[in-house]
Amino acid sequence: MPEKLSETSPLSEELPSPLESRRSNRRNMANTARKRIKSFLRGNLLTLLTVIGVFGGAILGVILRQTREDKWTEREIMYVSYFGDIFLQMLKSLILPLIVASIISAIGGLDLSLSGKIGARAIVYYFCTTVSAVVLGMILVSVIHPGRGDASEISKSGTSRNVTTVDTLLDLVRNMFPPNLVQACIAQYQTVLTPDESITAMNYTMLDWKISHRFVTGTNILGLVVFATVLGITLAKMAEKGKPLLIFFETLGGAMLIITYWVIWISPIGIFFLVAAKVLEMESFEVIVGQLGMYFTTVLLGLFIHGFVVIPLYYSICTRKLPFRFIVNMSQALFTAFGTGSSNATLPISMSCLEEKNEVDPRVVRFVMPIGATINMDGTALYEAVAAIFISQVRNMTLSIGQLLAMSITATAASIGAAGIPQAGLVTMVMVLDTVGLPPEDVTLIIAVDWLLDRFRTTINVLGDSIGAGIVDHLSKSELLKLGQPNPDTDKVGSQNGEVNAEEAEWHTTAM
């Protein structure tokens, strides 16, 4: 007869009690939750700090305004914004080499037919979203009618520049072909009109003024983009002979992204002081909520609908995916755009978010994003359409269908060429006013709130560029797969020794 199993046999010792099993499951669940929270914080710590920087800066600005009855002096505001200005200058120093290197390496590394397809898809997207923004703005301002009331209650601020639509468009084309590339890095061509006092004719207009020109300070981004595009096409046609120069620009672009990784870690501090200084610089809150309150609300409503309804709808239709994760992963770039008020200054961060968090093909990102930051200005187009009709309402001027159509075309063209025009916001707004017969000096009616609206429309511009890159990447997947994967040696360069360790890769690539 076999012996009975004793109560203390090894088999009975291995079976845990139900209480111990529940405790073990709780410990495992707690460990998993801690790991997920730790992973989320590691991947999105910078985004959270940037959000804190934006709202913290606004709170600090309000508190500082309340500490005294007198207005803060220009020097004191300069002290507050000092660290923010340093951060902004660091970002802007990366724009020029990043744009040129990215476009040349992206186009030069692709087949010319594929480059044409990617470019065509991007241009079609830019055109559709810009027209949608203009139409949306015109509908909202016509329905809400923010310009009703007494025009004398709205105070003017700032000055306007003497400019005509024809001269502005001609300057745009001239800046596309700079005579000196070195000069294009620091200056742009500008037509100057001065009145001829010897002419006293009754029908004397601005078109009869004396014409001269000057080069004003500011990088000619549009001209450099055109040159980089042509050079990229040339290197692609040269094939093996152009490889050494192409490798140089690929390495330069990778190096700029690594420097971007270093710079963006001070972005929460920089944005904190930039926002605080802007709040201190405000004339008064009453202007935003009072005289121009309805105009301000109309522009914000249009930007919100376009940025978070219309553009995501384009994304969902083209990719058959929900856009929410994509947008959340771009939040670092969006808050940086709001804090800096510059699409070009945000370009290094938006490219980094697209490549690392949304996993968009680097070849698409480096081709589409620099061009998008230059010519795709959805927020600006919507703002100009709303502003022009608002001013016409203030002046009790009824616009005909033909004038509305002309204004929409001009607003679209002005937003596309905004990066190639000095003092872009002011000049392009004057273009739109000139198209419908409104005096240029009326632009001073809305300058009081322009600085804040500029930050919101810049955020929508960056969001539109980013979603456009995602759409183009999705539509070009099959062609890109035929060319093979991008070169990891130039696309993922380590910050110290040319390699990316596992910890650093997780830090930069963990999606939200």
Side-chain angles (χ1 to χ4, degrees):
M1 260 182 94
E3 296 181 1
K4 293 183 180 180
L5 288 171
S6 65
E7 295 181 359
T8 60
S9 65
L11 182 60
S12 64
E13 289 178 353
E14 291 178 1
L15 294 175
S17 65
L19 180 60
E20 291 177 349
S21 297
R22 287 196 294 271
R23 289 176 177 172
S24 177
N25 289 336
R26 289 196 199 99
R27 284 195 297 270
N28 291 335
M29 291 175 63
N31 290 333
T32 302
R34 280 196 296 269
K35 288 181 180 179
R36 288 181 177 177
I37 294 173
K38 185 179 179 181
S39 176
F40 174 83
L41 291 177
R42 285 178 65 87
N44 300 283
L45 177 62
L46 187 58
T47 301
L48 296 175
L49 291 176
T50 305
V51 174
I52 294 172
V54 170
F55 290 102
I59 294 172
L60 175 64
V62 173
I63 293 174
L64 291 178
R65 285 179 69 97
Q66 301 303 318
T67 57
R68 62 164 72 171
E69 295 181 1
D70 298 334
K71 184 180 178 181
W72 283 66
T73 65
E74 186 176 348
R75 175 168 289 276
E76 290 170 336
I77 295 174
M78 182 269 290
Y79 289 148
V80 174
S81 66
Y82 180 74
F83 289 105
D85 291 336
I86 294 297
F87 163 69
L88 198 55
Q89 290 181 15
M90 293 170 69
L91 271 183
K92 288 182 176 180
S93 68
L94 301 173
I95 296 172
L96 186 59
L98 182 63
I99 286 181
V100 173
S102 297
I103 294 177
I104 293 174
S105 60
I107 298 178
L110 294 173
D111 181 74
L112 284 179
S113 61
L114 178 55
S115 297
K117 291 180 181 178
I118 292 177
R121 288 164 183 159
I123 296 298
V124 169
Y125 166 81
Y126 297 155
F127 179 78
C128 291
T129 55
T130 303
V131 171
S132 301
V134 172
V135 172
L136 174 62
M138 294 169 64
I139 292 174
L140 285 177
V141 73
S142 300
V143 171
I144 299 175
H145 209 282
R148 60 173 173 264
D150 188 1
S152 61
E153 295 179 357
I154 303 177
S155 59
K156 296 184 177 182
S157 60
T159 58
S160 61
R161 186 168 72 86
N162 295 321
V163 65
T164 65
T165 303
V166 175
D167 290 328
T168 305
L169 293 177
L170 292 177
D171 284 350
L172 174 64
V173 178
R174 288 190 185 100
N175 281 319
M176 291 174 65
F177 306 99
N180 188 324
L181 288 178
V182 177
Q183 186 185 42
C185 298
I186 59 173
Q188 302 184 43
Y189 184 95
Q190 184 185 83
T191 297
V192 179
L193 300 178
T194 53
D196 190 348
E197 297 179 355
S198 62
I199 301 178
T200 59
M202 294 296 293
N203 58 351
Y204 181 57
T205 65
M206 197 180 297
L207 296 175
D208 301 314
W209 289 12
K210 291 182 179 179
I211 301 176
S212 59
H213 77 275
R214 63 180 178 180
F215 283 91
V216 296
T217 302
T219 305
N220 183 3
I221 295 292
L222 193 60
L224 294 174
V225 165
V226 171
F227 171 78
T229 302
V230 174
L231 182 56
I233 294 172
T234 304
L235 293 179
K237 289 188 71 69
M238 292 177 67
E240 290 301 321
K241 290 183 179 179
K243 278 289 183 184
L245 187 56
L246 182 61
I247 292 173
F248 166 77
F249 283 111
E250 288 175 346
T251 307
L252 178 62
M256 290 301 103
L257 288 178
I258 293 303
I259 297 175
T260 301
Y261 289 143
W262 301 341
V263 171
I264 61 177
W265 280 104
I266 65 171
S267 62
I269 301 174
I271 291 172
F272 176 83
F273 287 107
L274 283 173
V275 174
K278 276 298 178 183
V279 173
L280 286 176
E281 196 176 340
M282 282 177 55
E283 292 294 334
S284 65
F285 291 106
E286 288 77 10
V287 175
I288 295 178
V289 299
Q291 297 173 338
L292 297 172
M294 287 303 296
Y295 162 72
F296 185 84
T297 304
T298 303
V299 176
L300 275 191
L301 179 62
L303 292 174
F304 180 83
I305 294 175
H306 183 73
F308 297 100
V309 178
V310 177
I311 294 180
L313 190 61
Y314 277 108
Y315 181 85
S316 297
I317 293 173
C318 295
T319 65
R320 300 292 190 270
K321 298 177 184 176
L322 292 176
F324 307 116
R325 180 181 293 275
F326 189 99
I327 295 175
V328 169
N329 287 339
M330 292 302 303
S331 55
Q332 167 68 25
L334 299 181
F335 280 103
T336 303
F338 181 84
T340 60
S342 172
S343 299
N344 285 331
T346 312
L347 183 60
I349 298 175
S350 55
M351 291 175 65
S352 173
C353 290
L354 282 170
E355 291 186 23
E356 305 298 340
K357 291 190 174 183
N358 282 320
E359 299 180 349
V360 178
D361 194 293
R363 294 167 292 188
V364 173
V365 173
R366 300 179 187 187
F367 182 11
V368 171
M369 285 302 290
I371 297 176
T374 306
I375 68 174
N376 185 37
M377 305 284 181
D378 297 346
T380 303
L382 186 146
Y383 154 80
E384 289 175 347
V386 172
I389 298 179
F390 166 76
I391 292 173
S392 70
Q393 291 172 352
V394 169
R395 296 301 183 197
N396 293 318
M397 175 181 174
T398 303
L399 300 178
S400 64
I401 298 297
Q403 286 177 313
L404 290 174
L405 181 61
M407 189 199 67
S408 63
I409 295 173
T410 307
T412 303
S415 66
I416 290 174
I421 302 173
Q423 302 171 350
L426 182 63
V427 175
T428 54
M429 192 67 250
V430 172
M431 282 177 58
V432 179
L433 294 179
D434 182 60
T435 302
V436 294
L438 290 167
E441 58 268 17
D442 277 358
V443 75
T444 58
L445 292 170
I446 58 174
I447 287 180
V449 296
D450 184 70
W451 69 270
L452 184 55
L453 289 176
D454 180 53
R455 278 163 160 67
F456 285 105
R457 65 178 182 257
T458 299
T459 304
I460 299 304
N461 290 342
V462 171
L463 178 61
D465 295 342
S466 304
I467 288 184
I471 291 175
V472 173
D473 175 68
H474 178 81
L475 297 177
S476 308
K477 279 287 187 189
S478 57
E479 293 99 335
L480 291 170
L481 287 175
K482 292 179 182 178
L483 290 179
Q485 295 298 319
N487 185 2
D489 295 333
T490 57
D491 291 325
K492 299 288 176 81
V493 185
S495 57
Q496 296 293 332
N497 56 3
E499 298 178 357
V500 175
N501 55 42
E503 183 179 357
E504 187 176 6
E506 181 187 1
W507 184 271
H508 290 305
T509 59
T510 302
M512 201 165 189

